[in-house]
mmCIF file of all heavy atoms in Angstrom:
data_model
loop_
_atom_site.group_PDB
_atom_site.id
_atom_site.type_symbol
_atom_site.label_atom_id
_atom_site.label_comp_id
_atom_site.label_asym_id
_atom_site.label_seq_id
_atom_site.Cartn_x
_atom_site.Cartn_y
_atom_site.Cartn_z
ATOM 1 N N TRP A 80 -12.321 6.788 -13.091
ATOM 2 C CA TRP A 80 -11.262 6.256 -12.251
ATOM 3 C C TRP A 80 -11.089 4.751 -12.464
ATOM 4 O O TRP A 80 -10.096 4.163 -12.079
ATOM 5 C CB TRP A 80 -11.530 6.531 -10.762
ATOM 6 C CG TRP A 80 -12.733 5.827 -10.215
ATOM 7 C CD1 TRP A 80 -14.008 6.298 -10.197
ATOM 8 C CD2 TRP A 80 -12.783 4.530 -9.613
ATOM 9 N NE1 TRP A 80 -14.844 5.394 -9.637
ATOM 10 C CE2 TRP A 80 -14.129 4.291 -9.260
ATOM 11 C CE3 TRP A 80 -11.837 3.556 -9.332
ATOM 12 C CZ2 TRP A 80 -14.553 3.099 -8.660
ATOM 13 C CZ3 TRP A 80 -12.245 2.374 -8.730
ATOM 14 C CH2 TRP A 80 -13.600 2.162 -8.393
ATOM 15 N N HIS A 84 -7.606 1.541 -13.672
ATOM 16 C CA HIS A 84 -7.418 0.480 -12.675
ATOM 17 C C HIS A 84 -7.725 -0.884 -13.264
ATOM 18 O O HIS A 84 -6.995 -1.840 -13.054
ATOM 19 C CB HIS A 84 -8.341 0.700 -11.480
ATOM 20 C CG HIS A 84 -7.904 1.781 -10.555
ATOM 21 N ND1 HIS A 84 -8.053 3.110 -10.858
ATOM 22 C CD2 HIS A 84 -7.289 1.734 -9.354
ATOM 23 C CE1 HIS A 84 -7.565 3.828 -9.874
ATOM 24 N NE2 HIS A 84 -7.096 3.016 -8.950
ATOM 25 N N PHE A 85 -8.857 -0.957 -13.956
ATOM 26 C CA PHE A 85 -9.278 -2.246 -14.506
ATOM 27 C C PHE A 85 -8.260 -2.748 -15.523
ATOM 28 O O PHE A 85 -7.865 -3.923 -15.521
ATOM 29 C CB PHE A 85 -10.647 -2.111 -15.193
ATOM 30 C CG PHE A 85 -11.792 -1.942 -14.226
ATOM 31 C CD1 PHE A 85 -13.047 -1.567 -14.690
ATOM 32 C CD2 PHE A 85 -11.624 -2.166 -12.872
ATOM 33 C CE1 PHE A 85 -14.119 -1.418 -13.800
ATOM 34 C CE2 PHE A 85 -12.681 -2.011 -11.980
ATOM 35 C CZ PHE A 85 -13.918 -1.621 -12.449
ATOM 36 N N PHE A 108 -16.564 -4.707 -8.248
ATOM 37 C CA PHE A 108 -15.454 -5.088 -7.367
ATOM 38 C C PHE A 108 -15.283 -4.089 -6.213
ATOM 39 O O PHE A 108 -15.051 -4.476 -5.072
ATOM 40 C CB PHE A 108 -14.136 -5.161 -8.159
ATOM 41 C CG PHE A 108 -13.935 -6.491 -8.824
ATOM 42 C CD1 PHE A 108 -14.782 -6.914 -9.842
ATOM 43 C CD2 PHE A 108 -12.922 -7.345 -8.429
ATOM 44 C CE1 PHE A 108 -14.603 -8.148 -10.456
ATOM 45 C CE2 PHE A 108 -12.737 -8.571 -9.030
ATOM 46 C CZ PHE A 108 -13.581 -8.973 -10.044
ATOM 47 N N HIS A 109 -15.415 -2.826 -6.542
ATOM 48 C CA HIS A 109 -15.207 -1.797 -5.525
ATOM 49 C C HIS A 109 -16.199 -1.989 -4.369
ATOM 50 O O HIS A 109 -15.837 -1.921 -3.194
ATOM 51 C CB HIS A 109 -15.366 -0.428 -6.171
ATOM 52 C CG HIS A 109 -14.899 0.681 -5.298
ATOM 53 N ND1 HIS A 109 -13.589 0.807 -4.881
ATOM 54 C CD2 HIS A 109 -15.571 1.727 -4.738
ATOM 55 C CE1 HIS A 109 -13.478 1.865 -4.129
ATOM 56 N NE2 HIS A 109 -14.659 2.434 -4.004
ATOM 57 N N GLN A 110 -17.472 -2.253 -4.733
ATOM 58 C CA GLN A 110 -18.496 -2.512 -3.709
ATOM 59 C C GLN A 110 -18.139 -3.739 -2.873
ATOM 60 O O GLN A 110 -18.277 -3.742 -1.648
ATOM 61 C CB GLN A 110 -19.854 -2.805 -4.400
ATOM 62 C CG GLN A 110 -20.590 -1.567 -4.846
ATOM 63 C CD GLN A 110 -20.914 -0.707 -3.635
ATOM 64 O OE1 GLN A 110 -21.215 -1.191 -2.559
ATOM 65 N NE2 GLN A 110 -20.794 0.600 -3.822
ATOM 66 N N PHE A 112 -15.215 -4.898 -2.214
ATOM 67 C CA PHE A 112 -14.106 -4.575 -1.289
ATOM 68 C C PHE A 112 -14.598 -3.763 -0.095
ATOM 69 O O PHE A 112 -14.228 -4.032 1.038
ATOM 70 C CB PHE A 112 -13.009 -3.802 -2.035
ATOM 71 C CG PHE A 112 -12.308 -4.629 -3.102
ATOM 72 C CD1 PHE A 112 -11.936 -4.048 -4.306
ATOM 73 C CD2 PHE A 112 -12.038 -5.963 -2.902
ATOM 74 C CE1 PHE A 112 -11.299 -4.792 -5.284
ATOM 75 C CE2 PHE A 112 -11.403 -6.729 -3.876
ATOM 76 C CZ PHE A 112 -11.038 -6.141 -5.081
ATOM 77 N N LEU A 116 -14.205 -5.258 3.641
ATOM 78 C CA LEU A 116 -13.005 -4.775 4.347
ATOM 79 C C LEU A 116 -13.358 -3.702 5.382
ATOM 80 O O LEU A 116 -12.489 -3.253 6.134
ATOM 81 C CB LEU A 116 -11.998 -4.183 3.348
ATOM 82 C CG LEU A 116 -11.243 -5.193 2.487
ATOM 83 C CD1 LEU A 116 -10.524 -4.504 1.323
ATOM 84 C CD2 LEU A 116 -10.235 -5.965 3.329
ATOM 85 N N LEU A 124 -12.029 -9.579 10.523
ATOM 86 C CA LEU A 124 -10.689 -9.575 9.920
ATOM 87 C C LEU A 124 -9.639 -9.244 10.959
ATOM 88 O O LEU A 124 -8.593 -9.891 11.051
ATOM 89 C CB LEU A 124 -10.599 -8.496 8.846
ATOM 90 C CG LEU A 124 -10.964 -8.828 7.410
ATOM 91 C CD1 LEU A 124 -10.754 -7.592 6.534
ATOM 92 C CD2 LEU A 124 -10.123 -9.973 6.896
ATOM 93 N N LEU A 170 -6.692 -13.746 5.202
ATOM 94 C CA LEU A 170 -7.588 -13.662 4.044
ATOM 95 C C LEU A 170 -7.968 -15.033 3.520
ATOM 96 O O LEU A 170 -9.120 -15.277 3.163
ATOM 97 C CB LEU A 170 -6.934 -12.855 2.910
ATOM 98 C CG LEU A 170 -6.799 -11.361 3.092
ATOM 99 C CD1 LEU A 170 -6.430 -10.714 1.769
ATOM 100 C CD2 LEU A 170 -8.098 -10.728 3.592
ATOM 101 N N LEU A 248 -14.189 -11.608 2.643
ATOM 102 C CA LEU A 248 -13.759 -11.050 1.354
ATOM 103 C C LEU A 248 -13.571 -12.159 0.304
ATOM 104 O O LEU A 248 -14.102 -12.097 -0.806
ATOM 105 C CB LEU A 248 -12.436 -10.265 1.543
ATOM 106 C CG LEU A 248 -11.655 -9.878 0.299
ATOM 107 C CD1 LEU A 248 -12.471 -9.019 -0.666
ATOM 108 C CD2 LEU A 248 -10.389 -9.114 0.662
ATOM 109 N N ALA A 273 -4.753 -10.845 -7.430
ATOM 110 C CA ALA A 273 -4.817 -9.373 -7.386
ATOM 111 C C ALA A 273 -5.122 -8.911 -5.959
ATOM 112 O O ALA A 273 -4.489 -7.960 -5.454
ATOM 113 C CB ALA A 273 -5.869 -8.850 -8.360
ATOM 114 N N VAL A 274 -6.053 -9.582 -5.291
ATOM 115 C CA VAL A 274 -6.397 -9.193 -3.920
ATOM 116 C C VAL A 274 -5.195 -9.471 -2.980
ATOM 117 O O VAL A 274 -4.875 -8.640 -2.128
ATOM 118 C CB VAL A 274 -7.665 -9.956 -3.442
ATOM 119 C CG1 VAL A 274 -7.879 -9.760 -1.939
ATOM 120 C CG2 VAL A 274 -8.882 -9.500 -4.231
ATOM 121 N N ALA A 277 -2.755 -6.664 -3.541
ATOM 122 C CA ALA A 277 -3.208 -5.383 -2.959
ATOM 123 C C ALA A 277 -3.073 -5.412 -1.436
ATOM 124 O O ALA A 277 -2.772 -4.401 -0.806
ATOM 125 C CB ALA A 277 -4.644 -5.091 -3.359
ATOM 126 N N SER A 278 -3.301 -6.593 -0.837
ATOM 127 C CA SER A 278 -3.303 -6.665 0.617
ATOM 128 C C SER A 278 -1.889 -6.679 1.199
ATOM 129 O O SER A 278 -1.709 -6.429 2.381
ATOM 130 C CB SER A 278 -4.068 -7.911 1.096
ATOM 131 O OG SER A 278 -3.329 -9.080 0.800
ATOM 132 N N GLN A 279 -0.882 -6.997 0.371
ATOM 133 C CA GLN A 279 0.468 -7.150 0.924
ATOM 134 C C GLN A 279 1.479 -6.134 0.424
ATOM 135 O O GLN A 279 2.383 -5.734 1.164
ATOM 136 C CB GLN A 279 1.023 -8.556 0.539
ATOM 137 C CG GLN A 279 0.238 -9.711 1.088
ATOM 138 C CD GLN A 279 0.550 -10.025 2.557
ATOM 139 O OE1 GLN A 279 1.445 -9.418 3.156
ATOM 140 N NE2 GLN A 279 -0.179 -10.949 3.141
ATOM 141 N N ASN A 281 1.793 -3.023 -0.188
ATOM 142 C CA ASN A 281 2.065 -1.777 0.542
ATOM 143 C C ASN A 281 2.228 -2.005 2.035
ATOM 144 O O ASN A 281 2.948 -1.276 2.700
ATOM 145 C CB ASN A 281 0.884 -0.795 0.333
ATOM 146 C CG ASN A 281 0.884 -0.209 -1.044
ATOM 147 O OD1 ASN A 281 1.866 0.380 -1.475
ATOM 148 N ND2 ASN A 281 -0.204 -0.392 -1.770
ATOM 149 N N THR A 282 1.490 -3.006 2.542
ATOM 150 C CA THR A 282 1.487 -3.216 3.987
ATOM 151 C C THR A 282 2.882 -3.620 4.478
ATOM 152 O O THR A 282 3.334 -3.175 5.550
ATOM 153 C CB THR A 282 0.458 -4.308 4.353
ATOM 154 O OG1 THR A 282 -0.750 -4.019 3.668
ATOM 155 C CG2 THR A 282 0.199 -4.366 5.836
ATOM 156 N N ILE A 283 3.549 -4.468 3.685
ATOM 157 C CA ILE A 283 4.864 -4.953 4.123
ATOM 158 C C ILE A 283 5.866 -3.792 4.265
ATOM 159 O O ILE A 283 6.431 -3.591 5.358
ATOM 160 C CB ILE A 283 5.397 -6.063 3.174
ATOM 161 C CG1 ILE A 283 4.519 -7.310 3.288
ATOM 162 C CG2 ILE A 283 6.852 -6.395 3.473
ATOM 163 C CD1 ILE A 283 4.770 -8.358 2.214
ATOM 164 N N ALA A 285 5.246 -0.639 4.583
ATOM 165 C CA ALA A 285 4.759 0.326 5.588
ATOM 166 C C ALA A 285 5.105 -0.184 6.973
ATOM 167 O O ALA A 285 5.500 0.597 7.867
ATOM 168 C CB ALA A 285 3.251 0.511 5.441
ATOM 169 N N THR A 286 4.991 -1.489 7.209
ATOM 170 C CA THR A 286 5.325 -2.057 8.515
ATOM 171 C C THR A 286 6.816 -1.896 8.790
ATOM 172 O O THR A 286 7.246 -1.513 9.879
ATOM 173 C CB THR A 286 4.941 -3.562 8.548
ATOM 174 O OG1 THR A 286 3.589 -3.693 8.135
ATOM 175 C CG2 THR A 286 5.124 -4.159 9.919
ATOM 176 N N MET A 346 4.667 6.586 6.841
ATOM 177 C CA MET A 346 4.118 6.465 5.487
ATOM 178 C C MET A 346 4.274 7.772 4.710
ATOM 179 O O MET A 346 4.438 7.754 3.503
ATOM 180 C CB MET A 346 2.650 6.036 5.538
ATOM 181 C CG MET A 346 2.493 4.632 6.087
ATOM 182 S SD MET A 346 1.283 3.725 5.170
ATOM 183 C CE MET A 346 -0.129 4.075 6.099
ATOM 184 N N SER A 350 5.798 7.004 1.116
ATOM 185 C CA SER A 350 4.747 6.774 0.115
ATOM 186 C C SER A 350 5.031 7.531 -1.166
ATOM 187 O O SER A 350 5.419 8.700 -1.152
ATOM 188 C CB SER A 350 3.410 7.219 0.700
ATOM 189 O OG SER A 350 2.525 7.554 -0.321
ATOM 190 N N SER A 352 2.582 7.158 -3.952
ATOM 191 C CA SER A 352 1.436 6.698 -4.744
ATOM 192 C C SER A 352 1.096 7.787 -5.756
ATOM 193 O O SER A 352 1.568 8.917 -5.663
ATOM 194 C CB SER A 352 0.247 6.414 -3.847
ATOM 195 O OG SER A 352 -0.167 7.596 -3.245
ATOM 196 N N MET A 353 0.275 7.418 -6.696
ATOM 197 C CA MET A 353 -0.105 8.393 -7.726
ATOM 198 C C MET A 353 -1.581 8.180 -7.986
ATOM 199 O O MET A 353 -2.038 7.041 -8.015
ATOM 200 C CB MET A 353 0.720 8.059 -8.972
ATOM 201 C CG MET A 353 0.659 9.065 -10.025
ATOM 202 S SD MET A 353 2.294 9.046 -10.787
ATOM 203 C CE MET A 353 1.920 9.564 -12.373
ATOM 204 N N THR A 354 -2.304 9.268 -8.128
ATOM 205 C CA THR A 354 -3.735 9.136 -8.424
ATOM 206 C C THR A 354 -3.968 9.476 -9.886
ATOM 207 O O THR A 354 -3.499 10.532 -10.347
ATOM 208 C CB THR A 354 -4.534 10.106 -7.519
ATOM 209 O OG1 THR A 354 -4.324 9.685 -6.168
ATOM 210 C CG2 THR A 354 -6.012 10.073 -7.834
ATOM 211 N N PHE A 355 -4.623 8.594 -10.601
ATOM 212 C CA PHE A 355 -4.899 8.777 -12.026
ATOM 213 C C PHE A 355 -6.392 8.869 -12.285
ATOM 214 O O PHE A 355 -7.155 8.075 -11.726
ATOM 215 C CB PHE A 355 -4.459 7.552 -12.830
ATOM 216 C CG PHE A 355 -3.002 7.464 -13.095
ATOM 217 C CD1 PHE A 355 -2.264 6.394 -12.579
ATOM 218 C CD2 PHE A 355 -2.358 8.405 -13.853
ATOM 219 C CE1 PHE A 355 -0.911 6.282 -12.838
ATOM 220 C CE2 PHE A 355 -1.007 8.302 -14.113
ATOM 221 C CZ PHE A 355 -0.274 7.248 -13.605
ATOM 222 N N ARG A 356 -6.798 9.762 -13.149
ATOM 223 C CA ARG A 356 -8.168 9.750 -13.652
ATOM 224 C C ARG A 356 -8.082 9.951 -15.169
ATOM 225 O O ARG A 356 -7.241 10.746 -15.634
ATOM 226 C CB ARG A 356 -9.014 10.870 -13.058
ATOM 227 C CG ARG A 356 -9.119 10.834 -11.542
ATOM 228 C CD ARG A 356 -10.044 9.709 -11.059
ATOM 229 N NE ARG A 356 -10.197 9.734 -9.614
ATOM 230 C CZ ARG A 356 -9.459 9.051 -8.751
ATOM 231 N NH1 ARG A 356 -8.521 8.235 -9.174
ATOM 232 N NH2 ARG A 356 -9.676 9.145 -7.449
ATOM 233 N N MET A 427 -1.893 11.575 1.901
ATOM 234 C CA MET A 427 -2.600 10.792 0.895
ATOM 235 C C MET A 427 -1.967 9.441 0.505
ATOM 236 O O MET A 427 -2.083 9.031 -0.635
ATOM 237 C CB MET A 427 -2.748 11.631 -0.372
ATOM 238 C CG MET A 427 -3.566 12.885 -0.152
ATOM 239 S SD MET A 427 -3.529 13.940 -1.610
ATOM 240 C CE MET A 427 -4.248 12.912 -2.828
ATOM 241 N N PRO A 428 -1.332 8.734 1.413
ATOM 242 C CA PRO A 428 -0.761 7.437 0.995
ATOM 243 C C PRO A 428 -1.836 6.451 0.543
ATOM 244 O O PRO A 428 -1.530 5.491 -0.156
ATOM 245 C CB PRO A 428 -0.063 6.919 2.258
ATOM 246 C CG PRO A 428 0.170 8.121 3.064
ATOM 247 C CD PRO A 428 -0.977 9.045 2.795
ATOM 248 N N PHE A 429 -3.076 6.659 0.953
ATOM 249 C CA PHE A 429 -4.132 5.714 0.555
ATOM 250 C C PHE A 429 -4.938 6.240 -0.624
ATOM 251 O O PHE A 429 -6.012 5.708 -0.931
ATOM 252 C CB PHE A 429 -5.066 5.454 1.746
ATOM 253 C CG PHE A 429 -4.416 4.681 2.865
ATOM 254 C CD1 PHE A 429 -4.120 5.289 4.074
ATOM 255 C CD2 PHE A 429 -4.093 3.344 2.699
ATOM 256 C CE1 PHE A 429 -3.523 4.569 5.104
ATOM 257 C CE2 PHE A 429 -3.497 2.618 3.729
ATOM 258 C CZ PHE A 429 -3.209 3.235 4.931
ATOM 259 N N GLY A 430 -4.442 7.253 -1.311
ATOM 260 C CA GLY A 430 -5.187 7.809 -2.435
ATOM 261 C C GLY A 430 -6.279 8.750 -1.946
ATOM 262 O O GLY A 430 -6.333 9.103 -0.763
ATOM 263 N N THR A 431 -7.133 9.145 -2.857
ATOM 264 C CA THR A 431 -8.188 10.065 -2.436
ATOM 265 C C THR A 431 -9.421 9.857 -3.296
ATOM 266 O O THR A 431 -9.371 9.246 -4.355
ATOM 267 C CB THR A 431 -7.715 11.531 -2.535
ATOM 268 O OG1 THR A 431 -8.740 12.349 -1.991
ATOM 269 C CG2 THR A 431 -7.477 11.970 -3.975
ATOM 270 N N ILE A 433 -13.037 8.677 -4.719
ATOM 271 C CA ILE A 433 -13.802 7.439 -4.865
ATOM 272 C C ILE A 433 -12.941 6.182 -4.814
ATOM 273 O O ILE A 433 -13.350 5.175 -4.275
ATOM 274 C CB ILE A 433 -14.645 7.500 -6.159
ATOM 275 C CG1 ILE A 433 -15.422 6.196 -6.401
ATOM 276 C CG2 ILE A 433 -13.842 7.785 -7.397
ATOM 277 C CD1 ILE A 433 -16.891 6.404 -6.249
ATOM 278 N N ALA A 434 -11.700 6.269 -5.356
ATOM 279 C CA ALA A 434 -10.887 5.044 -5.453
ATOM 280 C C ALA A 434 -9.963 4.866 -4.254
ATOM 281 O O ALA A 434 -9.070 4.047 -4.288
ATOM 282 C CB ALA A 434 -10.075 5.074 -6.735
ATOM 283 N N LYS A 435 -10.202 5.635 -3.200
ATOM 284 C CA LYS A 435 -9.354 5.519 -1.995
ATOM 285 C C LYS A 435 -9.274 4.071 -1.544
ATOM 286 O O LYS A 435 -10.276 3.339 -1.644
ATOM 287 C CB LYS A 435 -10.001 6.373 -0.919
ATOM 288 C CG LYS A 435 -9.094 6.844 0.149
ATOM 289 C CD LYS A 435 -9.819 7.882 0.969
ATOM 290 C CE LYS A 435 -8.967 8.419 2.060
ATOM 291 N NZ LYS A 435 -9.687 9.397 2.861
ATOM 292 N N CYS A 436 -8.116 3.666 -1.042
ATOM 293 C CA CYS A 436 -7.904 2.271 -0.652
ATOM 294 C C CYS A 436 -9.008 1.768 0.286
ATOM 295 O O CYS A 436 -9.172 2.305 1.387
ATOM 296 C CB CYS A 436 -6.561 2.127 0.037
ATOM 297 S SG CYS A 436 -6.314 0.484 0.715
ATOM 298 N N PRO A 437 -9.725 0.732 -0.102
ATOM 299 C CA PRO A 437 -10.782 0.223 0.787
ATOM 300 C C PRO A 437 -10.215 -0.559 1.989
ATOM 301 O O PRO A 437 -10.933 -0.783 2.950
ATOM 302 C CB PRO A 437 -11.583 -0.718 -0.133
ATOM 303 C CG PRO A 437 -10.606 -1.136 -1.185
ATOM 304 C CD PRO A 437 -9.642 -0.007 -1.374
ATOM 305 N N GLY A 438 -8.895 -0.913 1.908
ATOM 306 C CA GLY A 438 -8.307 -1.703 2.990
ATOM 307 C C GLY A 438 -7.573 -0.852 4.019
ATOM 308 O O GLY A 438 -6.896 -1.369 4.889
ATOM 309 N N ARG A 439 -7.734 0.491 3.920
ATOM 310 C CA ARG A 439 -6.880 1.365 4.754
ATOM 311 C C ARG A 439 -7.097 1.192 6.242
ATOM 312 O O ARG A 439 -6.154 1.258 7.025
ATOM 313 C CB ARG A 439 -7.051 2.844 4.339
ATOM 314 C CG ARG A 439 -8.434 3.372 4.527
ATOM 315 C CD ARG A 439 -8.606 4.728 3.831
ATOM 316 N NE ARG A 439 -9.907 5.307 4.083
ATOM 317 C CZ ARG A 439 -11.016 4.925 3.472
ATOM 318 N NH1 ARG A 439 -10.987 3.971 2.571
ATOM 319 N NH2 ARG A 439 -12.175 5.474 3.770
ATOM 320 N N PHE A 441 -8.119 -1.540 7.812
ATOM 321 C CA PHE A 441 -7.535 -2.826 8.177
ATOM 322 C C PHE A 441 -5.996 -2.717 8.187
ATOM 323 O O PHE A 441 -5.335 -3.237 9.096
ATOM 324 C CB PHE A 441 -8.000 -3.902 7.189
ATOM 325 C CG PHE A 441 -7.413 -5.257 7.445
ATOM 326 C CD1 PHE A 441 -7.508 -5.830 8.716
ATOM 327 C CD2 PHE A 441 -6.803 -5.970 6.435
ATOM 328 C CE1 PHE A 441 -6.954 -7.085 8.967
ATOM 329 C CE2 PHE A 441 -6.251 -7.235 6.695
ATOM 330 C CZ PHE A 441 -6.333 -7.779 7.958
ATOM 331 N N ALA A 442 -5.434 -2.032 7.174
ATOM 332 C CA ALA A 442 -3.967 -1.917 7.094
ATOM 333 C C ALA A 442 -3.405 -1.268 8.364
ATOM 334 O O ALA A 442 -2.420 -1.751 8.932
ATOM 335 C CB ALA A 442 -3.586 -1.097 5.868
ATOM 336 N N VAL A 443 -4.044 -0.206 8.837
ATOM 337 C CA VAL A 443 -3.532 0.485 10.012
ATOM 338 C C VAL A 443 -3.683 -0.416 11.257
ATOM 339 O O VAL A 443 -2.802 -0.514 12.102
ATOM 340 C CB VAL A 443 -4.215 1.865 10.199
ATOM 341 C CG1 VAL A 443 -3.824 2.505 11.519
ATOM 342 C CG2 VAL A 443 -3.839 2.789 9.031
ATOM 343 N N GLU A 445 -3.581 -3.669 11.216
ATOM 344 C CA GLU A 445 -2.539 -4.724 11.117
ATOM 345 C C GLU A 445 -1.207 -4.227 11.661
ATOM 346 O O GLU A 445 -0.518 -4.937 12.382
ATOM 347 C CB GLU A 445 -2.311 -5.106 9.648
ATOM 348 C CG GLU A 445 -3.402 -5.889 8.984
ATOM 349 C CD GLU A 445 -2.998 -6.199 7.551
ATOM 350 O OE1 GLU A 445 -2.990 -5.291 6.707
ATOM 351 O OE2 GLU A 445 -2.686 -7.370 7.274
ATOM 352 N N ILE A 446 -0.844 -2.999 11.282
ATOM 353 C CA ILE A 446 0.471 -2.492 11.713
ATOM 354 C C ILE A 446 0.469 -2.242 13.229
ATOM 355 O O ILE A 446 1.432 -2.566 13.930
ATOM 356 C CB ILE A 446 0.848 -1.205 10.931
ATOM 357 C CG1 ILE A 446 0.873 -1.529 9.433
ATOM 358 C CG2 ILE A 446 2.200 -0.669 11.390
ATOM 359 C CD1 ILE A 446 1.064 -0.318 8.520
ATOM 360 N N LEU A 478 3.576 3.528 -7.332
ATOM 361 C CA LEU A 478 2.830 2.298 -7.000
ATOM 362 C C LEU A 478 2.436 2.206 -5.548
ATOM 363 O O LEU A 478 1.822 1.239 -5.126
ATOM 364 C CB LEU A 478 3.658 1.067 -7.373
ATOM 365 C CG LEU A 478 3.915 0.901 -8.868
ATOM 366 C CD1 LEU A 478 4.756 -0.321 -9.132
ATOM 367 C CD2 LEU A 478 2.593 0.787 -9.617
ATOM 368 N N GLY A 479 2.846 3.149 -4.712
ATOM 369 C CA GLY A 479 2.442 3.053 -3.309
ATOM 370 C C GLY A 479 3.620 3.254 -2.384
ATOM 371 O O GLY A 479 4.491 4.088 -2.648
ATOM 372 N N ILE A 480 3.661 2.472 -1.287
ATOM 373 C CA ILE A 480 4.749 2.618 -0.324
ATOM 374 C C ILE A 480 6.008 2.011 -0.940
ATOM 375 O O ILE A 480 5.990 0.854 -1.366
ATOM 376 C CB ILE A 480 4.424 1.894 1.010
ATOM 377 C CG1 ILE A 480 3.061 2.333 1.561
ATOM 378 C CG2 ILE A 480 5.534 2.113 2.028
ATOM 379 C CD1 ILE A 480 2.972 3.749 2.017
HETATM 380 C C1 HEM B 501 -6.198 0.299 -3.611
HETATM 381 C C2 HEM B 501 -2.742 2.053 -0.699
HETATM 382 C C3 HEM B 501 -3.289 -1.808 2.226
HETATM 383 C C4 HEM B 501 -6.860 -3.447 -0.591
HETATM 384 C C5 HEM B 501 -5.221 1.103 -3.059
HETATM 385 C C6 HEM B 501 -4.755 2.347 -3.629
HETATM 386 C C7 HEM B 501 -3.793 2.833 -2.822
HETATM 387 C C8 HEM B 501 -3.639 1.902 -1.730
HETATM 388 C C9 HEM B 501 -2.963 4.116 -2.996
HETATM 389 C C10 HEM B 501 -5.227 2.960 -4.934
HETATM 390 C C11 HEM B 501 -6.194 4.080 -4.682
HETATM 391 C C12 HEM B 501 -6.360 4.954 -5.878
HETATM 392 O O1 HEM B 501 -6.143 4.518 -6.985
HETATM 393 O O2 HEM B 501 -6.651 6.134 -5.697
HETATM 394 C C13 HEM B 501 -2.580 1.135 0.334
HETATM 395 C C14 HEM B 501 -1.581 1.256 1.378
HETATM 396 C C15 HEM B 501 -1.727 0.160 2.200
HETATM 397 C C16 HEM B 501 -2.818 -0.644 1.665
HETATM 398 C C17 HEM B 501 -0.589 2.405 1.516
HETATM 399 C C18 HEM B 501 -0.972 -0.254 3.434
HETATM 400 C C19 HEM B 501 -0.205 0.497 4.161
HETATM 401 C C20 HEM B 501 -4.340 -2.568 1.745
HETATM 402 C C21 HEM B 501 -4.851 -3.744 2.376
HETATM 403 C C22 HEM B 501 -5.857 -4.213 1.569
HETATM 404 C C23 HEM B 501 -5.962 -3.300 0.444
HETATM 405 C C24 HEM B 501 -4.350 -4.345 3.672
HETATM 406 C C25 HEM B 501 -6.739 -5.419 1.715
HETATM 407 C C26 HEM B 501 -6.731 -6.291 2.638
HETATM 408 C C27 HEM B 501 -6.930 -2.598 -1.678
HETATM 409 C C28 HEM B 501 -7.797 -2.843 -2.810
HETATM 410 C C29 HEM B 501 -7.621 -1.766 -3.690
HETATM 411 C C30 HEM B 501 -6.627 -0.883 -3.063
HETATM 412 C C31 HEM B 501 -8.704 -4.062 -2.981
HETATM 413 C C32 HEM B 501 -8.309 -1.557 -5.047
HETATM 414 C C33 HEM B 501 -9.561 -0.771 -4.812
HETATM 415 C C34 HEM B 501 -10.452 -0.658 -6.001
HETATM 416 O O3 HEM B 501 -9.920 -0.587 -7.129
HETATM 417 O O4 HEM B 501 -11.649 -0.646 -5.817
HETATM 418 N N1 HEM B 501 -4.544 0.859 -1.896
HETATM 419 N N2 HEM B 501 -3.294 -0.028 0.527
HETATM 420 N N3 HEM B 501 -5.036 -2.301 0.603
HETATM 421 N N4 HEM B 501 -6.240 -1.418 -1.859
HETATM 422 FE FE1 HEM B 501 -4.870 -0.664 -0.621
#
Side-chain angles (χ1 to χ4, degrees):
W80 66 270
H84 283 77
F85 288 168
F108 275 66
H109 192 63
Q110 279 299 323
F112 294 142
L116 286 167
L124 270 182
L170 288 192
L248 166 58
V274 170
S278 71
Q279 298 280 355
N281 286 304
T282 313
I283 293 169
T286 308
M346 294 222 268
S350 155
S352 64
M353 191 146 152
T354 297
F355 282 118
R356 301 287 183 266
M427 297 173 61
F429 291 110
T431 186
I433 177 111
K435 204 168 180 181
C436 173
R439 62 192 184 282
F441 179 52
V443 173
E445 288 181 288
I446 301 173
L478 294 179
I480 307 293

